Amino acid sequence: MKRTTLSLIACATALAAVTGFAMVSAPDTSGAATATPAARLPVERTSLLCPAPSTSDLAETAYTSFTPVTEGVEEKGSAGLTTAEPGGAAEDGGDGGDGGKSEGKGDKSDKGDEKEKPVLEPEKPGEPVAGKTSGSEAPALIGTAEGSHAPGWTVQQSTEVAAGTGRGLQGVNCAAPDTEFWFPGASTSSGRTDYVHLTNPDDSAAVVDIELYGKDGALKSTVGEGVTVPPHASEALLLSTLSDVEETDLTVHVGVRSGRVGAAVQALDDKTGGDWLTAAADPAGELVLPGIPKDATAVRLVLFTPGGTDADLKVRLASPSGPITPAGHETVHVKAGMTTGVDLGEVTRGEAGSLVLTPTGQSVPVVAAVRVVRGKGGEQESAFVPASDPVGARATAADNRAKRTTLSLVAPGKDAKVKVTASAGTEGGTTATKTYTVKGGTTQDVDAPVPAGLKGTYALTVETVSGGPVHASRTLTGSDEDVASFTVQTLPDDRGTVSVPRADEDLSVLQR
Protein backbone atom coordinates (compact mmCIF):
# COMPACT_ATOMS: atom_id res chain seq x y z
CA MET A 1 0.00 0.00 0.00
CA LYS A 2 1.36 3.42 -0.89
CA ARG A 3 2.47 5.79 1.87
CA THR A 4 -0.07 8.41 0.66
CA THR A 5 -2.96 5.97 1.12
CA LEU A 6 -1.76 5.03 4.60
CA SER A 7 -1.53 8.70 5.54
CA LEU A 8 -5.07 9.36 4.34
CA ILE A 9 -6.45 6.44 6.34
CA ALA A 10 -4.58 7.50 9.46
CA CYS A 11 -5.87 11.06 9.08
CA ALA A 12 -9.45 9.91 8.54
CA THR A 13 -9.22 7.60 11.55
CA ALA A 14 -8.03 10.45 13.74
CA LEU A 15 -10.84 12.65 12.47
CA ALA A 16 -13.38 9.95 13.28
CA ALA A 17 -12.03 9.69 16.82
CA VAL A 18 -12.30 13.44 17.38
CA THR A 19 -15.72 14.04 15.84
CA GLY A 20 -17.42 10.81 16.90
CA PHE A 21 -17.80 9.67 13.30
CA ALA A 22 -20.56 7.05 13.03
CA MET A 23 -22.92 5.55 10.52
CA VAL A 24 -26.19 3.68 10.64
CA SER A 25 -25.40 -0.01 10.64
CA ALA A 26 -26.39 -1.90 7.54
CA PRO A 27 -29.35 -4.24 7.99
CA ASP A 28 -28.45 -7.75 9.04
CA THR A 29 -28.93 -10.09 6.09
CA SER A 30 -30.25 -12.75 8.44
CA GLY A 31 -33.63 -11.02 8.53
CA ALA A 32 -35.54 -7.89 9.51
CA ALA A 33 -36.29 -9.31 12.94
CA THR A 34 -32.72 -8.55 14.01
CA ALA A 35 -32.93 -4.86 13.04
CA THR A 36 -32.54 -2.45 15.94
CA PRO A 37 -35.47 -0.04 16.19
CA ALA A 38 -34.89 3.69 16.21
CA ALA A 39 -34.77 5.35 19.61
CA ARG A 40 -37.14 8.18 20.57
CA LEU A 41 -35.27 10.97 22.29
CA PRO A 42 -36.52 14.27 23.76
CA VAL A 43 -36.13 17.34 21.59
CA GLU A 44 -33.50 19.80 22.76
CA ARG A 45 -34.96 23.04 21.40
CA THR A 46 -38.49 24.28 20.71
CA SER A 47 -39.72 27.53 19.15
CA LEU A 48 -43.22 28.96 19.60
CA LEU A 49 -44.82 32.08 18.12
CA CYS A 50 -47.81 33.98 19.52
CA PRO A 51 -49.67 36.48 17.28
CA ALA A 52 -50.48 40.01 18.44
CA PRO A 53 -53.63 39.41 20.54
CA SER A 54 -55.96 42.31 19.73
CA THR A 55 -56.38 45.84 18.43
CA SER A 56 -59.10 46.59 21.00
CA ASP A 57 -58.37 48.96 23.88
CA LEU A 58 -60.66 46.74 25.98
CA ALA A 59 -58.57 43.60 25.47
CA GLU A 60 -57.30 41.70 28.50
CA THR A 61 -54.81 38.99 27.55
CA ALA A 62 -53.42 36.15 29.67
CA TYR A 63 -50.43 33.98 28.75
CA THR A 64 -49.84 30.59 30.31
CA SER A 65 -46.66 28.58 29.74
CA PHE A 66 -46.18 24.93 30.67
CA THR A 67 -43.71 22.13 29.96
CA PRO A 68 -44.67 18.60 31.05
CA VAL A 69 -42.04 16.58 32.85
CA THR A 70 -40.21 14.29 30.41
CA GLU A 71 -38.02 11.38 31.45
CA GLY A 72 -34.49 11.23 30.13
CA VAL A 73 -33.88 14.97 29.72
CA GLU A 74 -31.08 17.00 31.22
CA GLU A 75 -31.96 18.94 34.34
CA LYS A 76 -30.68 22.18 32.87
CA GLY A 77 -32.86 24.23 30.56
CA SER A 78 -34.60 27.53 30.01
CA ALA A 79 -37.58 29.06 28.20
CA GLY A 80 -38.78 32.57 27.55
CA LEU A 81 -41.07 34.73 25.43
CA THR A 82 -39.92 38.08 24.08
CA THR A 83 -41.62 40.63 21.85
CA ALA A 84 -41.61 40.78 18.07
CA GLU A 85 -41.78 44.11 16.32
CA PRO A 86 -44.67 45.01 13.97
CA GLY A 87 -42.97 45.13 10.60
CA GLY A 88 -39.51 45.80 11.99
CA ALA A 89 -36.60 44.21 13.79
CA ALA A 90 -37.35 43.28 17.40
CA GLU A 91 -35.27 43.94 20.43
CA ASP A 92 -33.75 40.94 22.12
CA GLY A 93 -36.36 41.20 24.84
CA GLY A 94 -39.61 43.03 25.51
CA ASP A 95 -42.10 44.21 28.06
CA GLY A 96 -45.15 42.25 26.90
CA GLY A 97 -47.03 45.15 25.33
CA ASP A 98 -45.87 48.71 24.88
CA GLY A 99 -49.45 49.94 24.68
CA GLY A 100 -50.67 48.36 27.89
CA LYS A 101 -49.73 47.16 31.31
CA SER A 102 -48.14 43.75 31.67
CA GLU A 103 -47.03 41.62 34.53
CA GLY A 104 -45.92 38.05 35.17
CA LYS A 105 -43.26 35.89 36.72
CA GLY A 106 -39.88 36.48 35.19
CA ASP A 107 -39.97 40.28 35.48
CA LYS A 108 -36.49 40.56 36.92
CA SER A 109 -35.28 43.91 35.70
CA ASP A 110 -36.19 47.57 35.58
CA LYS A 111 -38.71 48.73 32.99
CA GLY A 112 -36.05 50.42 30.97
CA ASP A 113 -33.98 47.29 30.53
CA GLU A 114 -35.95 45.49 27.82
CA LYS A 115 -33.17 43.06 26.96
CA GLU A 116 -33.36 41.40 30.39
CA LYS A 117 -37.13 41.20 30.75
CA PRO A 118 -38.97 38.34 29.01
CA VAL A 119 -42.76 38.44 29.05
CA LEU A 120 -42.71 34.97 30.64
CA GLU A 121 -39.80 32.99 32.03
CA PRO A 122 -40.81 29.51 33.31
CA GLU A 123 -38.81 28.23 36.26
CA LYS A 124 -38.98 24.44 35.80
CA PRO A 125 -40.97 21.73 33.98
CA GLY A 126 -44.20 20.59 35.61
CA GLU A 127 -45.05 24.05 36.96
CA PRO A 128 -47.15 26.43 34.84
CA VAL A 129 -46.37 30.14 34.85
CA ALA A 130 -48.73 32.94 33.83
CA GLY A 131 -48.53 36.57 32.84
CA LYS A 132 -50.93 39.15 31.46
CA THR A 133 -51.17 42.30 29.42
CA SER A 134 -53.89 44.77 28.48
CA GLY A 135 -54.62 47.24 25.73
CA SER A 136 -54.53 47.36 21.95
CA GLU A 137 -50.79 47.46 21.31
CA ALA A 138 -49.68 44.19 22.88
CA PRO A 139 -47.17 42.74 20.40
CA ALA A 140 -46.64 39.32 18.92
CA LEU A 141 -44.27 37.12 20.92
CA ILE A 142 -41.34 34.92 19.94
CA GLY A 143 -40.46 32.09 22.30
CA THR A 144 -37.61 29.63 22.64
CA ALA A 145 -37.21 26.71 25.05
CA GLU A 146 -34.07 24.64 25.45
CA GLY A 147 -32.97 21.59 27.40
CA SER A 148 -35.45 20.34 29.98
CA HIS A 149 -37.99 23.03 29.03
CA ALA A 150 -38.15 22.07 25.34
CA PRO A 151 -40.06 18.73 25.10
CA GLY A 152 -43.78 19.47 24.91
CA TRP A 153 -43.49 23.19 25.68
CA THR A 154 -46.97 24.74 25.36
CA VAL A 155 -48.08 28.37 25.56
CA GLN A 156 -51.73 29.47 25.52
CA GLN A 157 -52.77 33.03 24.69
CA SER A 158 -56.29 33.90 25.91
CA THR A 159 -57.85 37.31 25.29
CA GLU A 160 -61.17 38.63 26.57
CA VAL A 161 -62.68 41.60 24.73
CA ALA A 162 -65.61 43.22 26.50
CA ALA A 163 -67.30 44.87 23.51
CA GLY A 164 -67.04 45.67 19.82
CA THR A 165 -66.22 43.56 16.79
CA GLY A 166 -64.81 40.24 17.92
CA ARG A 167 -65.99 40.67 21.50
CA GLY A 168 -65.82 37.59 23.70
CA LEU A 169 -63.05 35.09 24.41
CA GLN A 170 -60.30 34.54 21.84
CA GLY A 171 -57.81 31.75 22.47
CA VAL A 172 -54.87 30.35 20.54
CA ASN A 173 -52.07 27.90 21.19
CA CYS A 174 -48.82 29.59 20.24
CA ALA A 175 -47.50 27.53 17.34
CA ALA A 176 -44.18 26.35 15.99
CA PRO A 177 -42.85 28.02 12.83
CA ASP A 178 -43.40 26.15 9.57
CA THR A 179 -43.45 26.64 5.81
CA GLU A 180 -47.07 25.84 4.85
CA PHE A 181 -50.49 26.41 6.46
CA TRP A 182 -54.14 25.82 5.47
CA PHE A 183 -57.01 27.82 6.99
CA PRO A 184 -60.47 26.70 5.80
CA GLY A 185 -63.17 28.78 7.50
CA ALA A 186 -61.96 32.33 6.93
CA SER A 187 -64.24 34.92 5.29
CA THR A 188 -64.37 38.29 3.54
CA SER A 189 -68.15 38.62 3.83
CA SER A 190 -69.90 41.72 5.13
CA GLY A 191 -69.67 41.84 8.91
CA ARG A 192 -66.43 39.82 9.08
CA THR A 193 -63.00 41.31 9.63
CA ASP A 194 -60.35 38.63 9.18
CA TYR A 195 -56.59 39.08 9.43
CA VAL A 196 -53.79 36.65 8.68
CA HIS A 197 -50.94 37.09 11.18
CA LEU A 198 -47.40 36.16 10.16
CA THR A 199 -44.48 36.08 12.61
CA ASN A 200 -40.85 35.50 11.64
CA PRO A 201 -38.58 34.17 14.43
CA ASP A 202 -35.36 34.08 12.44
CA ASP A 203 -32.46 36.42 11.70
CA SER A 204 -33.27 36.76 7.99
CA ALA A 205 -36.42 37.94 6.23
CA ALA A 206 -39.11 35.44 5.23
CA VAL A 207 -40.94 35.66 1.91
CA VAL A 208 -44.54 34.42 1.92
CA ASP A 209 -47.30 33.86 -0.63
CA ILE A 210 -50.93 34.10 0.53
CA GLU A 211 -53.56 32.46 -1.69
CA LEU A 212 -57.33 32.74 -1.23
CA TYR A 213 -59.85 30.16 -2.49
CA GLY A 214 -63.59 30.76 -2.59
CA LYS A 215 -66.59 28.80 -3.84
CA ASP A 216 -65.52 29.27 -7.47
CA GLY A 217 -61.81 28.69 -7.02
CA ALA A 218 -58.77 30.92 -6.56
CA LEU A 219 -59.39 34.63 -6.06
CA LYS A 220 -57.29 36.84 -8.30
CA SER A 221 -54.84 38.95 -6.34
CA THR A 222 -51.23 40.00 -6.60
CA VAL A 223 -51.13 41.72 -3.22
CA GLY A 224 -50.57 38.43 -1.41
CA GLU A 225 -47.58 37.42 -3.54
CA GLY A 226 -44.10 37.79 -2.16
CA VAL A 227 -45.03 39.29 1.21
CA THR A 228 -41.83 40.04 3.12
CA VAL A 229 -41.81 39.52 6.88
CA PRO A 230 -38.70 41.14 8.39
CA PRO A 231 -36.49 39.28 10.89
CA HIS A 232 -37.93 38.95 14.42
CA ALA A 233 -41.06 40.75 13.26
CA SER A 234 -44.79 40.23 12.80
CA GLU A 235 -47.22 41.36 10.10
CA ALA A 236 -51.05 41.33 10.11
CA LEU A 237 -52.76 41.49 6.72
CA LEU A 238 -56.49 42.19 6.35
CA LEU A 239 -57.91 39.56 4.00
CA SER A 240 -60.32 42.01 2.37
CA THR A 241 -57.31 44.02 1.14
CA LEU A 242 -55.98 40.97 -0.69
CA SER A 243 -59.17 40.59 -2.73
CA ASP A 244 -62.29 42.72 -3.19
CA VAL A 245 -64.50 39.64 -3.63
CA GLU A 246 -66.87 38.93 -0.75
CA GLU A 247 -66.81 35.25 0.20
CA THR A 248 -68.77 33.65 3.03
CA ASP A 249 -66.46 30.64 3.09
CA LEU A 250 -62.81 31.11 2.28
CA THR A 251 -59.72 28.92 2.45
CA VAL A 252 -56.44 30.71 3.08
CA HIS A 253 -53.20 29.04 2.02
CA VAL A 254 -49.93 30.41 3.38
CA GLY A 255 -46.85 29.13 1.57
CA VAL A 256 -43.32 30.23 2.48
CA ARG A 257 -40.85 30.76 -0.36
CA SER A 258 -37.88 31.36 1.91
CA GLY A 259 -37.46 31.16 5.66
CA ARG A 260 -40.25 30.08 8.00
CA VAL A 261 -43.08 31.78 9.88
CA GLY A 262 -45.82 31.22 12.40
CA ALA A 263 -49.29 31.84 10.97
CA ALA A 264 -52.82 32.19 12.35
CA VAL A 265 -56.06 33.83 11.18
CA GLN A 266 -57.97 36.14 13.51
CA ALA A 267 -61.66 36.01 12.52
CA LEU A 268 -63.78 38.83 13.97
CA ASP A 269 -67.55 39.12 13.50
CA ASP A 270 -69.80 42.12 14.19
CA LYS A 271 -72.59 39.97 15.65
CA THR A 272 -71.10 36.69 16.88
CA GLY A 273 -67.81 37.78 18.39
CA GLY A 274 -64.64 36.16 17.16
CA ASP A 275 -61.75 33.82 17.73
CA TRP A 276 -58.52 32.53 16.28
CA LEU A 277 -58.61 30.07 13.40
CA THR A 278 -55.49 27.92 13.67
CA ALA A 279 -54.03 25.86 10.84
CA ALA A 280 -55.90 22.68 9.98
CA ALA A 281 -54.17 19.32 9.86
CA ASP A 282 -52.32 18.61 6.63
CA PRO A 283 -54.50 17.53 3.67
CA ALA A 284 -55.65 13.93 4.15
CA GLY A 285 -58.33 11.53 2.95
CA GLU A 286 -59.71 10.96 6.46
CA LEU A 287 -60.18 13.79 8.95
CA VAL A 288 -61.33 14.19 12.56
CA LEU A 289 -62.65 17.49 13.95
CA PRO A 290 -62.74 16.83 17.70
CA GLY A 291 -64.87 18.32 20.45
CA ILE A 292 -67.72 20.38 19.03
CA PRO A 293 -69.44 21.90 22.10
CA LYS A 294 -72.65 20.06 22.95
CA ASP A 295 -74.64 23.29 23.27
CA ALA A 296 -73.64 24.59 19.82
CA THR A 297 -76.55 26.43 18.18
CA ALA A 298 -74.96 26.52 14.72
CA VAL A 299 -72.17 24.48 13.12
CA ARG A 300 -70.82 25.21 9.64
CA LEU A 301 -68.38 22.80 8.01
CA VAL A 302 -65.88 24.29 5.54
CA LEU A 303 -63.77 22.06 3.28
CA PHE A 304 -61.19 22.44 0.53
CA THR A 305 -59.22 20.01 -1.60
CA PRO A 306 -55.95 21.40 -2.95
CA GLY A 307 -55.43 18.78 -5.66
CA GLY A 308 -56.94 18.43 -9.11
CA THR A 309 -59.50 15.78 -8.14
CA ASP A 310 -62.95 16.22 -6.58
CA ALA A 311 -63.52 14.62 -3.18
CA ASP A 312 -66.59 12.79 -1.90
CA LEU A 313 -66.75 12.28 1.86
CA LYS A 314 -69.00 10.51 4.32
CA VAL A 315 -69.99 12.75 7.23
CA ARG A 316 -70.40 11.10 10.62
CA LEU A 317 -70.88 12.56 14.07
CA ALA A 318 -69.10 10.55 16.76
CA SER A 319 -71.55 10.90 19.67
CA PRO A 320 -71.30 9.44 23.20
CA SER A 321 -73.27 6.40 22.03
CA GLY A 322 -71.61 5.87 18.65
CA PRO A 323 -71.50 7.20 15.07
CA ILE A 324 -74.53 9.15 13.81
CA THR A 325 -75.23 10.38 10.30
CA PRO A 326 -76.43 14.02 10.30
CA ALA A 327 -79.87 14.17 8.69
CA GLY A 328 -79.61 15.47 5.13
CA HIS A 329 -75.81 15.53 5.21
CA GLU A 330 -74.81 11.91 4.74
CA THR A 331 -72.12 12.91 2.24
CA VAL A 332 -70.48 16.07 0.97
CA HIS A 333 -68.97 16.73 -2.46
CA VAL A 334 -65.90 18.99 -2.59
CA LYS A 335 -64.91 20.33 -6.00
CA ALA A 336 -61.21 20.45 -6.73
CA GLY A 337 -59.66 23.84 -5.92
CA MET A 338 -62.93 25.25 -4.56
CA THR A 339 -64.08 25.93 -1.01
CA THR A 340 -67.29 24.19 0.07
CA GLY A 341 -69.44 25.24 3.04
CA VAL A 342 -72.12 23.06 4.63
CA ASP A 343 -74.54 24.32 7.31
CA LEU A 344 -75.03 21.48 9.82
CA GLY A 345 -77.20 23.49 12.23
CA GLU A 346 -77.51 22.16 15.80
CA VAL A 347 -75.80 18.91 14.86
CA THR A 348 -74.71 17.92 18.38
CA ARG A 349 -78.22 18.31 19.88
CA GLY A 350 -77.06 18.65 23.46
CA GLU A 351 -74.49 15.83 23.42
CA ALA A 352 -70.73 15.72 23.04
CA GLY A 353 -69.74 15.24 19.41
CA SER A 354 -66.91 15.21 16.88
CA LEU A 355 -67.06 15.13 13.09
CA VAL A 356 -65.38 12.22 11.33
CA LEU A 357 -64.91 12.52 7.56
CA THR A 358 -64.02 9.49 5.45
CA PRO A 359 -63.91 8.96 1.66
CA THR A 360 -66.87 7.31 -0.04
CA GLY A 361 -64.53 5.84 -2.65
CA GLN A 362 -61.21 7.17 -3.88
CA SER A 363 -59.23 8.88 -1.13
CA VAL A 364 -58.53 12.54 -1.97
CA PRO A 365 -56.59 14.86 0.37
CA VAL A 366 -58.84 17.48 2.00
CA VAL A 367 -58.51 20.19 4.67
CA ALA A 368 -61.44 21.13 6.89
CA ALA A 369 -62.66 23.17 9.87
CA VAL A 370 -65.97 24.00 11.49
CA ARG A 371 -67.21 27.36 12.70
CA VAL A 372 -69.24 26.92 15.88
CA VAL A 373 -71.72 29.37 17.38
CA ARG A 374 -73.02 29.21 20.95
CA GLY A 375 -75.85 31.27 22.43
CA LYS A 376 -78.65 33.16 20.74
CA GLY A 377 -79.50 36.73 19.86
CA GLY A 378 -77.12 39.31 21.29
CA GLU A 379 -75.41 36.71 23.48
CA GLN A 380 -73.87 34.70 20.64
CA GLU A 381 -70.20 33.89 20.36
CA SER A 382 -68.23 31.94 17.76
CA ALA A 383 -65.12 29.77 17.64
CA PHE A 384 -63.43 27.28 15.32
CA VAL A 385 -62.50 23.60 15.44
CA PRO A 386 -60.04 22.64 12.67
CA ALA A 387 -59.28 19.06 11.66
CA SER A 388 -56.58 17.79 14.01
CA ASP A 389 -53.94 15.09 14.22
CA PRO A 390 -54.19 12.50 17.03
CA VAL A 391 -52.92 13.08 20.55
CA GLY A 392 -50.23 10.49 19.86
CA ALA A 393 -47.82 10.02 22.72
CA ARG A 394 -48.74 13.25 24.51
CA ALA A 395 -50.51 16.59 24.11
CA THR A 396 -51.05 19.51 26.48
CA ALA A 397 -53.58 22.31 26.92
CA ALA A 398 -52.45 25.22 29.11
CA ASP A 399 -54.64 27.86 30.78
CA ASN A 400 -57.42 25.70 32.23
CA ARG A 401 -59.73 27.21 34.81
CA ALA A 402 -61.91 25.62 37.47
CA LYS A 403 -65.51 25.02 36.29
CA ARG A 404 -64.78 26.63 32.93
CA THR A 405 -62.88 23.80 31.18
CA THR A 406 -64.30 20.92 29.12
CA LEU A 407 -62.02 18.18 27.77
CA SER A 408 -63.33 16.18 24.79
CA LEU A 409 -61.85 12.84 23.72
CA VAL A 410 -62.80 10.95 20.55
CA ALA A 411 -61.68 7.52 19.37
CA PRO A 412 -62.69 7.38 15.69
CA GLY A 413 -61.71 3.71 15.28
CA LYS A 414 -60.73 1.28 18.01
CA ASP A 415 -61.27 1.62 21.76
CA ALA A 416 -58.52 3.59 23.47
CA LYS A 417 -57.24 4.26 26.96
CA VAL A 418 -55.79 7.64 27.88
CA LYS A 419 -54.25 9.21 30.96
CA VAL A 420 -55.00 12.82 31.82
CA THR A 421 -52.82 14.74 34.28
CA ALA A 422 -53.69 18.10 35.81
CA SER A 423 -50.63 20.12 36.77
CA ALA A 424 -50.32 22.25 39.86
CA GLY A 425 -51.85 25.71 39.55
CA THR A 426 -49.90 28.82 38.65
CA GLU A 427 -50.39 30.03 42.22
CA GLY A 428 -50.70 26.77 44.12
CA GLY A 429 -52.17 23.27 44.19
CA THR A 430 -51.06 19.68 43.70
CA THR A 431 -51.21 17.49 40.60
CA ALA A 432 -54.02 15.00 39.93
CA THR A 433 -54.36 12.15 37.42
CA LYS A 434 -57.24 10.15 35.95
CA THR A 435 -57.39 7.38 33.34
CA TYR A 436 -60.25 7.02 30.85
CA THR A 437 -61.38 4.42 28.33
CA VAL A 438 -63.00 5.83 25.18
CA LYS A 439 -65.06 3.39 23.11
CA GLY A 440 -64.40 3.29 19.39
CA GLY A 441 -66.60 5.59 17.33
CA THR A 442 -67.56 7.79 20.30
CA THR A 443 -66.82 11.19 21.78
CA GLN A 444 -66.69 11.71 25.53
CA ASP A 445 -66.72 14.99 27.42
CA VAL A 446 -64.79 13.71 30.42
CA ASP A 447 -64.72 14.94 33.98
CA ALA A 448 -61.12 16.05 33.78
CA PRO A 449 -59.01 16.10 36.96
CA VAL A 450 -58.52 19.38 38.81
CA PRO A 451 -55.51 20.07 41.08
CA ALA A 452 -56.25 19.79 44.78
CA GLY A 453 -56.11 23.20 46.42
CA LEU A 454 -56.05 24.90 43.02
CA LYS A 455 -55.02 28.54 42.86
CA GLY A 456 -54.68 30.22 39.48
CA THR A 457 -54.79 28.30 36.20
CA TYR A 458 -53.41 24.88 35.36
CA ALA A 459 -52.40 22.62 32.46
CA LEU A 460 -53.95 19.36 31.28
CA THR A 461 -51.68 16.75 29.69
CA VAL A 462 -53.25 13.89 27.72
CA GLU A 463 -51.27 10.69 27.02
CA THR A 464 -52.31 7.69 24.95
CA VAL A 465 -51.91 4.55 27.05
CA SER A 466 -53.20 1.84 24.69
CA GLY A 467 -55.64 1.09 21.89
CA GLY A 468 -56.37 3.08 18.76
CA PRO A 469 -55.67 6.74 18.03
CA VAL A 470 -57.37 9.41 20.13
CA HIS A 471 -58.13 12.99 19.12
CA ALA A 472 -58.84 15.68 21.70
CA SER A 473 -59.81 19.29 22.23
CA ARG A 474 -60.30 21.63 25.15
CA THR A 475 -63.15 24.15 25.40
CA LEU A 476 -62.62 27.13 27.69
CA THR A 477 -65.56 29.42 28.52
CA GLY A 478 -65.30 33.11 29.36
CA SER A 479 -65.84 34.88 32.64
CA ASP A 480 -68.90 36.82 31.43
CA GLU A 481 -71.86 34.56 32.20
CA ASP A 482 -74.26 36.78 30.24
CA VAL A 483 -72.53 35.94 26.95
CA ALA A 484 -71.79 32.44 25.65
CA SER A 485 -68.11 33.31 25.14
CA PHE A 486 -65.78 30.39 24.53
CA THR A 487 -62.74 29.17 22.64
CA VAL A 488 -61.66 25.69 21.50
CA GLN A 489 -58.10 24.40 21.12
CA THR A 490 -57.30 21.03 19.57
CA LEU A 491 -54.62 18.82 21.15
CA PRO A 492 -52.35 17.19 18.56
CA ASP A 493 -49.14 15.38 19.54
CA ASP A 494 -46.68 17.85 21.08
CA ARG A 495 -43.74 16.28 19.22
CA GLY A 496 -41.73 16.35 22.40
CA THR A 497 -39.67 13.41 21.18
CA VAL A 498 -38.11 12.58 17.83
CA SER A 499 -37.06 9.31 16.26
CA VAL A 500 -33.27 8.94 16.12
CA PRO A 501 -31.79 5.94 14.25
CA ARG A 502 -29.38 3.89 16.32
CA ALA A 503 -25.81 4.13 15.03
CA ASP A 504 -22.56 2.28 15.54
CA GLU A 505 -19.00 3.21 14.67
CA ASP A 506 -17.87 1.53 11.47
CA LEU A 507 -14.37 2.57 10.45
CA SER A 508 -14.37 0.04 7.63
CA VAL A 509 -16.26 2.63 5.59
CA LEU A 510 -12.91 4.43 5.17
CA GLN A 511 -11.59 1.52 3.12
CA ARG A 512 -14.52 1.27 0.72
Side-chain angles (χ1 to χ4, degrees):
M1 185 178 293
K2 294 183 178 180
R3 183 179 300 275
T4 303
T5 305
L6 289 171
S7 299
L8 287 173
I9 293 177
C11 182
T13 302
L15 179 63
V18 172
T19 61
F21 182 87
M23 66 167 291
V24 178
S25 299
D28 193 326
T29 56
S30 62
T34 63
T36 303
R40 294 203 65 84
L41 301 178
V43 298
E44 297 180 354
R45 183 183 175 89
T46 298
S47 296
L48 293 178
L49 306 172
C50 310
S54 180
T55 57
S56 171
D57 291 333
L58 304 177
E60 298 289 339
T61 300
Y63 300 98
T64 306
S65 169
F66 179 75
T67 298
V69 176
T70 302
E71 295 182 1
V73 300
E74 297 182 2
E75 294 184 2
K76 295 182 179 180
S78 63
L81 290 162
T82 54
T83 61
E85 290 298 320
E91 297 291 334
D92 291 341
D95 65 2
D98 296 336
K101 300 177 182 179
S102 68
E103 57 182 295
K105 292 183 180 180
D107 296 347
K108 297 182 178 180
S109 62
D110 295 334
K111 293 182 179 180
D113 188 4
E114 294 184 354
K115 291 185 179 182
E116 298 298 328
K117 188 180 180 183
V119 176
L120 283 181
E121 192 174 25
E123 295 179 0
K124 64 179 182 179
E127 296 183 0
V129 61
K132 57 185 178 180
T133 186
S134 61
S136 60
E137 298 181 19
L141 302 180
I142 297 175
T144 302
E146 297 181 335
S148 60
H149 285 71
W153 187 38
T154 302
V155 177
Q156 166 83 13
Q157 174 182 292
S158 303
T159 303
E160 291 199 72
V161 180
T165 299
R167 53 111 180 99
L169 179 60
Q170 302 173 22
V172 62
N173 272 334
C174 302
D178 208 337
T179 57
E180 186 176 39
F181 307 84
W182 292 97
F183 300 98
S187 179
T188 52
S189 64
S190 177
R192 278 281 288 271
T193 306
D194 287 17
Y195 296 85
V196 58
H197 287 246
L198 307 172
T199 306
N200 178 7
D202 297 325
D203 295 332
S204 58
V207 181
V208 178
D209 292 327
I210 303 172
E211 300 169 322
L212 307 180
Y213 298 90
K215 64 180 184 302
D216 298 318
L219 305 186
K220 293 182 179 180
S221 172
T222 58
V223 181
E225 295 181 4
V227 176
T228 298
V229 185
H232 307 291
S234 184
E235 300 278 4
L237 291 84
L238 182 62
L239 293 186
S240 60
T241 64
L242 303 183
S243 173
D244 57 4
V245 179
E246 289 194 4
E247 290 280 355
T248 301
D249 302 307
L250 197 66
T251 299
V252 179
H253 177 236
V254 175
V256 183
R257 291 190 199 177
S258 63
R260 56 180 189 155
V261 298
V265 171
Q266 190 174 35
L268 308 177
D269 193 282
D270 291 342
K271 296 181 179 179
T272 60
D275 209 343
W276 289 96
L277 171 58
T278 55
D282 291 341
E286 299 184 9
L287 299 173
V288 178
L289 293 79
I292 300 172
K294 62 183 181 181
D295 59 352
T297 54
V299 176
R300 186 167 182 83
L301 173 64
V302 182
L303 312 100
F304 177 79
T305 177
T309 305
D310 292 2
D312 289 286
L313 299 168
K314 295 179 183 178
V315 181
R316 299 291 183 270
L317 180 74
S319 73
S321 57
I324 297 174
T325 301
H329 300 290
E330 295 83 1
T331 62
V332 60
H333 180 73
V334 186
K335 293 183 179 180
M338 302 179 186
T339 299
T340 299
V342 181
D343 188 359
L344 300 178
E346 298 182 46
V347 65
T348 54
R349 299 188 180 278
E351 292 188 321
S354 303
L355 286 181
V356 180
L357 309 177
T358 57
T360 60
Q362 178 185 0
S363 180
V364 177
V366 176
V367 292
V370 292
R371 180 173 182 260
V372 181
V373 177
R374 293 176 69 235
K376 294 185 178 181
E379 297 181 357
Q380 289 182 314
E381 230 265 89
S382 57
F384 297 88
V385 183
S388 177
D389 291 326
V391 167
R394 183 183 63 188
T396 297
D399 192 8
N400 296 284
R401 308 175 191 185
K403 299 181 180 181
R404 290 168 54 189
T405 294
T406 301
L407 179 64
S408 295
L409 305 173
V410 53
K414 298 179 181 179
D415 293 0
K417 181 179 290 187
V418 297
K419 182 175 73 171
V420 180
T421 302
S423 74
T426 52
E427 300 173 16
T430 56
T431 61
T433 300
K434 289 186 179 180
T435 300
Y436 307 88
T437 297
V438 185
K439 293 184 178 180
T442 71
T443 297
Q444 307 293 333
D445 283 353
V446 302
D447 183 17
V450 177
L454 171 65
K455 292 182 180 180
T457 62
Y458 63 100
L460 285 173
T461 298
V462 182
E463 299 173 84
T464 304
V465 176
S466 62
V470 175
H471 299 249
S473 70
R474 186 280 314 273
T475 299
L476 181 67
T477 56
S479 58
D480 186 354
E481 296 181 358
D482 294 330
V483 179
S485 59
F486 73 114
T487 183
V488 182
Q489 280 73 54
T490 56
L491 277 68
D493 191 302
D494 64 19
R495 299 180 182 178
T497 61
V498 292
S499 181
V500 179
R502 297 187 183 276
D504 294 311
E505 290 185 356
D506 186 1
L507 300 181
S508 64
V509 68
L510 298 174
Q511 296 177 322
R512 296 175 185 172

